[in-house]
Amino acid sequence: MSRDFHSVHSEPSGFLRRYVFSTDHKVIAKQYLALSMFWGLFGGATAYLIRWQLARPEAEVPGWGYVSPDVYNALVTMHGTIMVFFVAMPFLLAVFGNFLIPLMIGARDMAFPRLNMLSVWVFFLASVTLLASIFVPGGPASAGWTGYPPLSAKPEYTGVDWGLNLWILALALEFASFLLGGINFLTTVMNLRAPGMTFFRLPMLVWMQLIAAVVFMISVGPLIAGAVMLLLDRIAGTTFYLPEGGGEPLLWQHLFWFFGHPEVYVILLPAFGIILDVMSVFSRKPVFGYRPIIYASLVAGFLSFVVWAHHQYISGLDPRLAMPFSVTTILISVPFSFVVFSMIATLWGGSIQFTTPMLFAVGSLGVFIFGGLTGIFNGSAPFDIYIHDTYFVVAHFHSTLISAVFFGGLAGLYFWFPKMFGRMMNETLGKIHFWLTFACFILVFGPMHLLGLGGMMRRIANPLQYDFLKPLEPLNLFITIAATVLILSQVIFVVNFVVSLVRGKAAASNPWKANTLEWATASPPPHENFEKIPSVYRGPYEYSVPGASDDWLPQDRPLADAGAAAR
């Protein structure tokens, strides 16, 4: 590909153009990182309040005070909204996609740098809107993060007026931001790949970002339309979802879950890309089944559009539809099982180095298997009817998403931190952070399945009001203590992150001896990334090649040099 097609813009000189209104994809990635970390702390605080309320419903929460049922409903709603849309998506898609796609394909920037800047500022506006919703009269949205009508369709049902209107507006802005980002990701990879960078030489992370972008763009349209209708019901007197005017509440559930289930994979796939890249580097082995993993991920992306109704088995859905959706739900486990076995095969027989990124990658695999197995139970209609809307579902959902957001995302952040900031993170603190996070995760979400099997329902501020739930109180207290330690253990990461930014050891350009193109430039990369657009000679995972003097072969090493290394 000709050098002339690469996006080039001059280096900004002023503070505002360099750090605030920047068009540089690396700065934009860091802006997304700052926003997602802010929301991560906010979401963690809401989790703390929710758990203490469940453990001691009538007592004041240490550091906060009394949590009323109305406040509890708002906390649950905001926690789900924040963690899915304002932490998981910006962290896994926007941070890693923006920072790494141009570097990994050998481009100087995104195809549309100004559109990229617009996307992060639209996301900032969405964040401000969501924050503002907390402080309006009536408080923030409290109809659950799924926003089911009729509860969400009339202000008098929850007592929340503009809080929920702003919640809808914030989500619409967030969706718009990621649509802009997805267009940029696709166009950049299509048009700005370095010479020799064919599609089957792209790193896994790039492939997974592309598939996630397509799945998001296809699935989000109906929900945006549905959100507009919900807003009209609230402020214009329409009755799209209100039975008294001929509306249908179930319509929202169909629209929400047609987006909601693919959304899980929009979050999951970039994490898979991170895990596969990290595992290959620290196993010193090629990714096992590179092309089949891509095909399996495409199949999973397609199947994600035909499983949504398994969230609605008890909603009044025609019972004849239960079996077809059970079949498609269980069927989607096949391509994901293939990806999981490919990860295990990548590790098998490798020269494994248990660095902090590798620990989080392996931990992510273990947690995903744990969460994925419980998903098979949820896919079965007879079992799902029993555990629907209980803490079994909460435990499954968190196991799946935490494997991606926490373990997968942190594997990526520890791995690419040297490239982002030019400094190494502290390995000892990183490993302490991992083991505390992993152990506490098991202690929180393992027993939480038992709460669900015991019949404890979600979104209930005081489980002790029911006699049959009183025996579960000690288990709730145990989970709450473990969750508190889990949240506090993240302080170690924050300290490590901040101290490493200031005093971390200076990073070499390729500290992990990896092959992909981002390691071929300085740490951190200069403006426009490369002095000269690199040429690509091979795939991204040529490790431990027999006869080679080194156990890695960078993608941009010329064939003659590779041959000399082999001799």
Side-chain angles (χ1 to χ4, degrees):
M1 185 162 291
S2 166
R3 162 74 171 75
D4 294 336
F5 287 96
H6 285 261
S7 174
V8 177
H9 48 82
S10 59
E11 186 170 4
S13 54
F15 178 84
L16 287 178
R17 294 293 298 173
R18 184 187 290 266
Y19 298 110
V20 182
F21 300 108
S22 174
T23 54
D24 188 321
H25 69 101
K26 301 181 291 295
V27 176
I28 289 170
K30 292 172 185 175
Q31 291 173 331
Y32 272 116
L33 179 61
L35 288 168
S36 61
M37 289 180 76
F38 165 78
W39 281 117
L41 294 173
F42 199 110
T46 57
Y48 164 75
L49 296 175
I50 291 168
R51 281 309 322 170
W52 268 106
Q53 172 66 16
L54 292 173
R56 290 286 184 263
E58 301 299 333
E60 292 189 349
V61 178
W64 175 269
Y66 179 70
V67 175
S68 67
D70 288 342
V71 171
Y72 181 83
N73 285 340
L75 287 171
V76 171
T77 302
M78 295 301 282
H79 175 76
T81 303
I82 288 168
M83 298 308 282
V84 173
F85 299 112
F86 289 81
V87 177
M89 288 187 68
F91 186 35
L92 291 172
L93 278 82
V95 173
F96 293 108
N98 273 297
F99 187 80
L100 290 170
I101 285 177
L103 287 166
M104 283 183 155
I105 68 171
R108 297 200 180 281
D109 206 316
M110 285 290 182
F112 307 118
R114 291 182 181 82
L115 192 70
N116 210 18
M117 180 180 70
L118 179 63
S119 73
V120 74
W121 280 103
V122 171
F123 181 72
F124 177 78
L125 186 59
S127 298
V128 171
T129 305
L130 191 65
L131 269 180
S133 75
I134 298 172
F135 302 102
V136 296
S142 59
W145 79 277
T146 53
Y148 281 178
L151 187 63
S152 61
K154 278 191 170 182
E156 52 264 37
Y157 290 163
T158 59
V160 177
D161 192 358
W162 272 99
L164 213 151
N165 295 344
L166 291 175
W167 178 82
I168 296 172
L169 183 59
L171 288 183
L173 289 168
E174 198 263 4
F175 294 155
S177 166
F178 281 87
L179 280 173
L180 297 176
I183 291 168
N184 228 342
F185 288 4
L186 290 169
T187 310
T188 301
V189 177
M190 289 284 184
N191 293 287
L192 296 181
R193 300 189 314 279
M197 180 62 87
T198 63
F199 276 101
F200 285 113
R201 287 178 174 173
L202 290 173
M204 273 299 172
L205 178 61
V206 177
W207 264 109
M208 295 302 171
Q209 290 280 0
L210 292 183
I211 297 171
V214 171
V215 170
F216 178 77
M217 283 193 279
I218 294 174
S219 62
V220 77
L223 183 59
I224 292 176
V228 171
M229 293 192 292
L230 181 59
L231 191 61
L232 290 174
D233 276 6
R234 290 181 58 81
I235 64 176
T238 58
T239 56
F240 291 107
Y241 302 113
L242 294 171
E244 64 263 34
E248 175 55 81
L250 272 184
L251 172 61
W252 171 265
Q253 292 195 30
H254 285 292
L255 296 174
F256 184 89
W257 289 116
F258 181 78
F259 162 79
H261 202 84
E263 167 71 2
V264 174
Y265 305 126
V266 169
I267 294 169
L268 197 60
L269 289 174
F272 276 0
I274 292 170
I275 295 165
L276 286 162
D277 277 355
V278 170
M279 282 184 171
S280 179
V281 170
F282 294 111
S283 298
R284 314 312 288 172
K285 280 185 64 186
V287 168
F288 183 88
Y290 172 85
R291 290 197 185 200
I293 289 175
I294 294 168
Y295 298 141
S297 301
L298 290 168
V299 170
F302 170 75
L303 287 175
S304 71
F305 293 107
V306 290
V307 299
W308 80 90
H310 74 233
H311 296 274
Q312 300 172 244
Y313 286 142
I314 65 165
S315 66
L317 190 77
D318 188 329
R320 290 169 296 184
L321 289 175
M323 185 55 68
F325 278 102
S326 279
V327 171
T328 55
T329 300
I330 294 172
L331 193 62
I332 204 171
S333 65
V334 175
F336 283 119
S337 297
F338 180 84
V339 176
V340 166
F341 281 114
S342 295
M343 291 177 181
I344 295 171
T346 301
L347 297 173
W348 185 264
S351 301
I352 297 177
Q353 305 163 20
F354 282 111
T355 59
T356 302
M358 186 61 160
L359 285 173
F360 273 100
V362 174
S364 179
L365 173 60
V367 172
F368 178 74
I369 292 172
F370 180 67
L373 288 175
T374 56
I376 294 174
F377 293 103
N378 291 325
S380 168
F383 187 80
D384 184 83
I385 290 170
Y386 176 73
I387 50 91
H388 188 89
D389 249 346
T390 69
Y391 265 82
F392 188 95
V393 177
V394 176
H396 158 71
F397 183 67
H398 281 78
S399 299
T400 309
L401 279 192
I402 284 179
S403 76
V405 182
F406 257 68
F407 290 93
L410 287 171
L413 194 53
Y414 276 107
F415 184 63
W416 281 292
F417 184 92
K419 185 57 61 180
M420 282 183 171
F421 301 103
R423 294 186 181 275
M424 304 295 291
M425 294 187 78
N426 184 290
E427 272 289 293
T428 302
L429 288 178
K431 289 176 180 176
I432 294 171
H433 174 218
F434 167 75
W435 285 113
L436 279 174
T437 301
F438 187 76
C440 291
F441 166 83
I442 297 296
L443 294 176
V444 172
F445 294 102
M448 196 177 286
H449 288 85
L450 301 179
L451 287 181
L453 292 175
M456 181 170 161
M457 60 292 276
R458 339 164 45 178
R459 298 168 187 153
I460 178 172
N462 182 2
L464 299 183
Q465 64 187 294
Y466 297 102
D467 289 339
F468 78 99
L469 293 179
K470 288 179 179 175
L472 298 176
E473 185 183 6
L475 193 56
N476 259 319
L477 180 60
F478 174 80
I479 293 171
T480 296
I481 294 170
T484 305
V485 178
L486 174 63
I487 293 168
L488 290 175
S489 66
Q490 305 316 304
V491 174
I492 298 171
F493 166 74
V494 175
V495 170
N496 193 4
F497 185 93
V498 174
V499 172
S500 298
L501 275 179
V502 180
R503 301 174 57 184
K505 178 185 172 186
S509 61
N510 191 358
W512 311 121
K513 296 181 171 52
N515 289 341
T516 42
L517 290 183
E518 76 273 21
W519 303 106
T521 187
S523 301
H527 182 68
E528 297 189 346
N529 298 340
F530 304 94
E531 289 185 10
K532 178 185 175 184
I533 294 298
S535 295
V536 176
Y537 300 97
R538 61 188 61 80
Y541 305 114
E542 298 292 329
Y543 293 103
S544 304
V545 176
S549 58
D550 297 320
D551 69 349
W552 83 99
L553 282 175
Q555 283 188 286
D556 63 327
R557 181 178 292 180
L559 293 172
D561 292 352
R567 289 193 293 274

